[in-house]
Amino acid sequence: MIIPLQYNLRYLRTRWTGTLITAVTFGLVVAVFVIVMALAQGLDRAFVTTGDPLNLLIMRPGVQSEMQSSVSIDRYQIIRTLKGIATGADGEPIVAPEVLVVVNKPKLPDGGKSNLQVRGIDLKTLELRPQVRIVEGRMYEPGLREVIASRLVSKRFQGFRLGDTPIFGGGTWTVVGLFDGAGTAYDSEVWCDYEELQQEFDRRGGYSTVVARATDPAAAAALARTIDEDPRLKLEVKTEVQYYSEQTETSRPLKLFGTFLATVMAIGACFAGMNTMYGNVASRAKEIGTLRVLGYTPFSIVLCFVFESVLLALIGGIFGCLVSLPMNWVTTGTTNFQTFSEVVFQFAVTPRLMTIALGFAVVMGVVGGLLPAVSAARRPIIDCLSKV
Amino acid sequence: MTYHTFIRKNALRNKRRTALTVLSVGFSLFLLITLQTVLSTLLNPRETEESALRIAVRHSVGLTQMLPISYQAKLEKVPHVKAAMPMQWFGGQYIEPKNFFANFSVGHEQFFDMFPEFEFSDGAEDAFMKERIAAIVGDALMEKFGWSVGDRITLLGAIFPVDLEFRIVGSYAHESNDSAFYFRHDYLEESMSDWGMVGTYWLMADSAEAVPGIIDAVDSQFRNTAYETKSETESAFQLTFVSMLGNVQLLIGSISIVVVFTMLLVAGSTMAMTIRERLREVAILKAIGYPRRVVLGLVLGEAATVSLMGSVVACGLSLALASTDVARATGGFVEKIDPGPVVLAAALGIGIMIGLVSALFPAVQASGMSINEAMRRLE
Amino acid sequence: MSESPKEKVVAARNLSKIFPHGGEDVVALDKIDIDIYKGEFVALMGPSGSGKSTLLHIVAGIDRPTSGELEVLGDPIADLSESQLSTWRNHHVGFVFQSFNLIPVLTAQENVEMPLLLTSLNKKERREHVETVLRIVGLTDRMTHYPRQLSGGQEQRVAIARALVGDPDLILADEPTGDLDAHSAEEIMTVLQKLNEDHGKTVIMVTHDPRTAHYSSITRHLDKGKMLPVGEPGSQE
Ligand SMILES: Nc1ncnc2c1ncn2[C@@H]1O[C@H](COP(=O)(O)OP(=O)(O)OP(=O)(O)O)[C@@H](O)[C@H]1O
Ligand SMILES: [Mg+2]
C-alpha cells in the first residue's frame, strides 16, 4: 500500500532548490516559535523550579509579592512555636525570617539601571533552599556587611564580582561569594545577613516574610491551616510552589505573543508549502497516473504526498530547532511587575519544547500537503497520463 | 491589448498558485505591520501639548519605593511648577483578578488641571471635590462593565491591605486613554490610617522650556536624603516601563527581519516556479522581437502585481485587527494595534519591493537566455 | 478463431465511450463487440483518433466505458470501485506505455519492483522476481541504472519488465514502439513475442506500424470508433 520512502526522499533531493526554500521557510517559523517560547519557558522555569512544596511562605494577607509583605518579630516568635515544623541539625525549628529590599544598580555593559533584589537571610535559609550552592568564594559571615551574589547577577550587574564592594543602603558591602541558584528565581538575587540588612535599611521593626519548613506534606497543610486561623497572627500562608507559580503571570504576554507570531507565520508558511506541493504534484502528474495503472490506490497517493510534505516540514523543523539551540546559553532579563525587580534567566530550549515544535512542523506539513495530495489522487488516471 | 492586460492575464493564469502566494505574503506582511506597530507604540509614546508639560517624580530606586506626602508642598514651591499632584497605583481588583484595569488615587485638587485633555462629564468636577469616596471613570471602562454615574462599586486591595468602596460621580472621554479609574488620594490615605506616603508626584510645568530646569531642581533638592527622587518627562516615564520589559526592540527587530526574509523566500520560490514554466513563452516573445528589457519588465511587473495583492491582503488584515479588542486579549498590555496610514503605505511599498527583489534573479536569468536554450530547457 | 474453445480474456458487448466536449459529444467508441481469448497476441490498428487507446484504457480498467457490457478475465470491471480496480490492475494486467513512464528518481530495478510493493512478497522474493523479469527482457546488467542513463529501447524493456513482474494474465501495450527507432522496435517486439509464445501471456498491442503488427497472431482494425470485422484490412493496409 505504501509508496516507499526513498521515492519521496529522492524527489526532495532532485528538486533540492524548491525543497531547501520551503524547508527553510518552515524552519524559520519553527525557530521563531522555539525562541520566543524558550524565552517564556526560561522565565517560567526561574519561578516554577524555585518553590519547594514543604516550604511555607508566611506573609501579610492580600499582598501579591514578598516585596510588599511585612511580618513583625513577635509574630515570628509565635510561628517558631507551632507544631509540624521540621527540626534542623542544631535542634531548632527550621523557621527563617527574610528581609527583602530592592536596590537600583547599573547593569553591564551599558550602565542602564535596573532593580536588583537583595534578600536578607538567616543561615537556616540554606537548609530551606538546598538548591542554592556556593560556587566561588565563601558564605557570608553573620554580623558582617558581606553579601553573596548569584553568578548571573555578577555577570549582569556592575560591581558584583567576587571581592567587589558594592554600596547599598548607606554602607559598603563586600562580595565574598558567588552562588548558583540552579535556574531558580534566586539567580536574580543577592543574599546577605538579614539583621545587617534590617539595620542598613532601617527595617528593625520586622521582616518581610517568614519561611517555615514542614516535616511532611500533611503537616504542611495542617500548619498552613493553623497559621491561617490563629487570631494572634493574622497572616497568610502559601507554599513556595503556590507562590512562585502565581509569579509566572509575568510570562503570559510573552506566551501570547509567541503563539500569535507562530500562528500567523505558520499560516503564511502553510500557503507557501501548499504552493510547493501543488508544484510537485503537477510536475509528477504522469508518474501519479503510472503508479495508479500499476495498481496503487488513490489513498496511497494521498499518503505519499502528505508524507512528502510532512517530511519537508520536518526537515525544516529540525533545521529550526538546531538554529535556535544556541539560544540555550543566552542569559536575558525582564522585570517582574509584581516586585518591580529584575528577573535574570536563561532561554530554555528544552527537549519538550523541541518536541512540541516538531509536532507543530508536522501539523504545518499535513495542512500544506493535504489539499495538493487529495487533488493528485482525485485526478482521473487518464488526465494524469495525457498531461505532459 | 496592453502590457497591463498581458501582465494581469499572466498573473492570473495559475490562479491557485497566485492566490496561495498572495495569501502567504499577505499573512507575513500582516505580521510585520503588527510587530512594527506594537514596537512603535511602545517606543514612541505619543507626545502631546499637555504631556510635554507633565513631569513624573518617583523614588530613585523604583516604583515600589514611596515618597513622603510632605513633598507636595516642597514640589509646589519649585519655580515654574504650576501644580503638583500625588498619584498612587492602587492595583485594586474588581470582583476578581481577570477584570484588570488601571486604578489610581490622585490629588483631587490638582487632577482637573493636570489632565486638561480629558473631557469630563457634567458635574464631575464638583462632585469629585465634594465627595470623599468619589471616583471618575473612563468611558471605555464604564461601557465595559455597564456602569453608570451614581453606581457604587468596591475595589479589593491587592497591594494595599484595604478594600475601598467608591461612588462613581462622573466619566471622562479621551481618544486613546479612556479605560482608567481615578479616585481621591486623601481617601486612600485615610483608609491606610494616615499612611503619609505616595508612589509618584506629577508636576505641571508652566511651559515646555521650563521642563528640564524643573527636573534638575527637583532631583537636586532631594539628593542625599532618605527619599531621593528621580524625575522625568511623561514620555520618558513610559519608556522606563518599556525598558523594564527587557530588550523588546532587539526581539521584535530580529523577528521582523526573519519575517521579511521568509516573505522573500516564499515569493522568490513561486516566481522561480512560474518563470520556469514560462520559458517557452519567454522564447516566443523574444522570437517575435521583444527586447530583453521588455521581457524583463513583463516578468518583474507580474511579480510586483502579485506581491502588491499580498500587501493589500495584509492591510485588510491589519485594519481588521485594529478594530478588535486587543486590549482585552493582551490584558491591557497593548491598548490598540492601529497601524495608521503611514505604516500601511510603507507596507504596500515593502510588498512591491519584495515582489521585485524576489523575481529579479529568475527574471534576469530567463530574459538573458537564448531562444534555443529556453526551448530546450522545456524538455 | 472465434470458434476456439479457449478461455475468454476480454468480452465486450455494445461497448461505447463518449467524451462530453462542450456542447458536442465525442464518440470515441461506438457500440463495439470484441472477444479476445487466452494466449492471443492481438494488434489493434486504425487511423489516429479511431479509439484504439480509449479501448485499451477501458480494458485495463484505467478508464470507464459510458455504456455496454465488459468482462475482462471474467471480472465485470466497470462495476468495481476505484480502489478495487487498483488492486485488480495490480493482480491481473501489465500496461506498457508509448513514452515508457518510468519514475526518474528510481533505478531500473526499483522501477520494476514498484508493483510488487503492493503484494505480500518479502524483500528477497521481490528481488528474485525482479531479477527474473529483467533477465527475460535482457537487462540484468543495467539493474542499478537510472532511466536517464538508459536508451529508449532499454527504458521500454524496463517498462515491460515492470508490466510483467506481477505475473499478470494480460499485457496491454499502447504503441510500445512509437517512440523508438527501427532496431529498438524490433527488440521490443521480440520480447513481446517471447512473452506471448514462451510464457503464455495474452497481449493486446496498439500500433500504427504494419511491420510490428506482423509479430501478432491477430490484427483487428478500428475506424471512427467502430470495430471492423475480423480480417478486413484497414485503410492503411
Ligand atoms: N479525454 C478526452 N476528452 C475528449 N475527447 C477525447 C479524450 N480522449 C480521447 N478523446 C477523443 O476520442 C477519440 C479517440 O481517441 P483515442 O486516443 O482513443 O484515439 P487513438 O486511436 O488512440 O489515436 P492515436 O492513434 O492518435 O493515438 C479522439 O477523437 C479523441 O479526440
Ligand atoms: Mg492513441
Side-chain angles (χ1 to χ4, degrees), chain C residues 13 35 43 52 63 76 112 128 194 209 220:
Chain C
R13 295 288 169 272
D35 289 314
K52 306 179 294 290
D63 208 353
V112 175
E128 282 164 8
K194 187 163 94 178
D209 182 357
R220 299 295 307 261

Side-chain angles (χ1 to χ4, degrees), chain B residues 175-207:
Chain B
E175 54 175 325
S176 60
N177 164 25
D178 61 349
S179 44
F181 183 107
Y182 297 97
F183 62 93
R184 288 171 54 152
H185 188 68
D186 55 356
Y187 179 36
L188 177 64
E189 175 78 16
E190 174 199 80
S191 314
M192 292 283 295
S193 40
D194 296 325
W195 177 39
M197 305 296 271
V198 67
T200 57
Y201 283 98
W202 287 78
L203 310 180
M204 182 62 122
D206 58 9
S207 70

Side-chain angles (χ1 to χ4, degrees), chain C residues 151-170:
Chain C
S151 75
Q154 288 166 335
E155 276 194 76
Q156 191 62 300
R157 281 191 277 158
V158 174
I160 292 174
R162 182 176 65 182
L164 199 60
V165 75
D167 195 20
D169 307 293
L170 181 58

Side-chain angles (χ1 to χ4, degrees), chain C residues 75-190:
Chain C
D75 295 314
I77 59 166
D79 302 336
L80 299 181
S81 76
E82 205 50 34
S83 56
Q84 284 171 323
L85 210 50
S86 299
T87 314
W88 180 85
R89 278 195 301 268
N90 185 247
H91 292 327
H92 300 295
V93 300
F95 203 98
V96 180
F97 303 90
Q98 175 177 346
S99 53
F100 329 132
N101 286 3
L102 294 180
I103 294 171
V105 293
L106 301 182
T107 61
Q109 69 177 348
E110 285 168 339
N111 262 290
V112 175
E113 198 183 354
M114 278 311 271
L116 294 185
L117 296 175
L118 294 169
T119 65
S120 54
L121 297 179
N122 66 31
K123 206 169 171 167
K124 192 165 152 274
E125 290 165 330
R126 292 203 302 264
R127 184 157 178 97
E128 282 164 8
H129 278 72
V130 169
E131 279 177 13
T132 310
V133 292
L134 281 172
R135 193 166 309 121
I136 294 175
V137 299
L139 275 179
T140 33
D141 52 336
R142 294 295 161 88
M143 302 227 302
T144 56
H145 286 217
Y146 284 91
R148 70 188 133 75
Q149 299 165 326
L150 298 172
S151 75
Q154 288 166 335
E155 276 194 76
Q156 191 62 300
R157 281 191 277 158
V158 174
I160 292 174
R162 182 176 65 182
L164 199 60
V165 75
D167 195 20
D169 307 293
L170 181 58
I171 289 183
L172 302 166
D174 193 351
E175 298 186 42
T177 59
D179 281 3
L180 299 176
D181 61 284
H183 175 72
S184 303
E186 221 165 280
E187 277 179 7
I188 295 299
M189 290 319 298
T190 319

Side-chain angles (χ1 to χ4, degrees), chain A residues 47-363:
Chain A
F47 291 125
V48 172
T49 57
T50 305
D52 182 317
L54 291 183
N55 286 355
L56 294 177
L57 198 55
I58 304 160
M59 303 188 291
R60 196 180 72 189
V63 296
Q64 280 179 327
S65 78
E66 299 171 292
M67 282 301 306
Q68 294 138 6
S69 168
S70 65
V71 178
S72 62
I73 295 172
D74 48 321
R75 286 180 182 153
Y76 160 67
Q77 294 301 348
I78 296 172
I79 295 166
R80 277 172 60 89
T81 65
L82 297 175
K83 274 215 290 277
I85 297 176
T87 323
D90 58 355
E92 296 277 314
I94 307 181
V95 178
E98 303 205 324
V99 178
L100 285 156
V101 299
V102 160
V103 294
N104 201 248
K105 287 290 167 195
K107 276 195 292 192
L108 293 164
D110 56 349
K113 284 190 169 184
S114 228
N115 285 344
L116 177 63
Q117 191 155 313
V118 182
R119 186 181 294 269
I121 59 161
D122 186 281
L123 287 179
K124 278 205 185 61
T125 300
L126 298 172
E127 284 180 76
L128 288 161
R129 296 178 175 131
Q131 66 273 55
V132 174
R133 286 178 311 117
I134 302 275
V135 289
E136 252 180 88
R138 57 170 174 88
M139 191 62 196
Y140 70 83
E141 202 66 53
L144 293 179
R145 298 265 150 123
E146 293 180 345
V147 301
I148 55 172
S150 102
R151 213 161 32 180
L152 290 182
V153 165
S154 89
K155 277 187 206 144
R156 220 174 141 77
F157 283 86
Q158 288 178 16
F160 282 90
R161 286 164 310 176
L162 199 60
D164 281 352
T165 50
I167 296 176
F168 46 85
T172 305
W173 300 65
T174 310
V175 180
V176 297
L178 296 183
F179 66 85
D180 180 357
T184 61
Y186 309 126
D187 268 335
S188 311
E189 297 182 353
V190 170
W191 287 9
C192 62
D193 181 19
Y194 74 102
E195 285 179 321
E196 293 300 309
L197 202 61
Q198 271 181 308
Q199 277 180 22
E200 193 71 86
F201 284 82
D202 202 14
R203 297 268 286 266
R204 266 168 280 238
Y207 315 119
S208 298
T209 62
V210 172
V211 187
R213 185 168 185 86
T215 47
D216 55 71
L223 188 56
R225 219 170 22 250
T226 315
I227 295 170
D228 264 339
E229 285 164 5
D230 194 321
R232 296 170 300 173
L233 293 176
K234 290 206 200 94
L235 292 172
E236 190 175 307
V237 197
K238 284 175 184 160
T239 65
E240 269 186 355
V241 172
Q242 224 178 337
Y243 172 78
Y244 282 106
S245 65
E246 282 167 19
Q247 308 283 311
T248 55
E249 257 315 86
T250 314
S251 72
R252 210 175 67 101
L254 206 55
K255 281 181 194 148
L256 198 81
F257 177 63
T259 314
F260 169 77
L261 262 180
T263 311
V264 178
M265 283 190 79
I267 294 174
C270 280
F271 286 127
M274 266 191 230
N275 240 343
T276 311
M277 286 312 294
Y278 269 120
N280 284 357
V281 164
S283 67
R284 263 141 73 187
K286 219 164 147 191
E287 267 173 63
I288 295 166
T290 309
L291 287 170
R292 299 271 285 110
V293 170
L294 295 181
Y296 284 91
T297 57
F299 181 68
S300 61
I301 303 286
V302 172
L303 224 54
C304 170
F305 282 96
V306 168
F307 188 67
E308 184 165 320
S309 164
V310 168
L311 210 61
L312 196 58
L314 267 181
I315 296 173
I318 292 169
F319 163 77
C321 286
L322 289 181
V323 167
S324 37
L325 212 51
M327 292 304 288
N328 239 340
W329 289 275
V330 174
T331 301
T332 184
T334 184
T335 299
N336 177 353
F337 280 94
Q338 272 148 7
T339 59
F340 278 103
S341 59
E342 170 124 325
V343 193
V344 186
F345 61 97
Q346 288 185 327
F347 282 75
V349 184
T350 57
R352 189 170 150 271
L353 178 58
M354 287 196 278
T355 315
I356 292 173
L358 289 182
F360 184 62
V362 169
V363 171

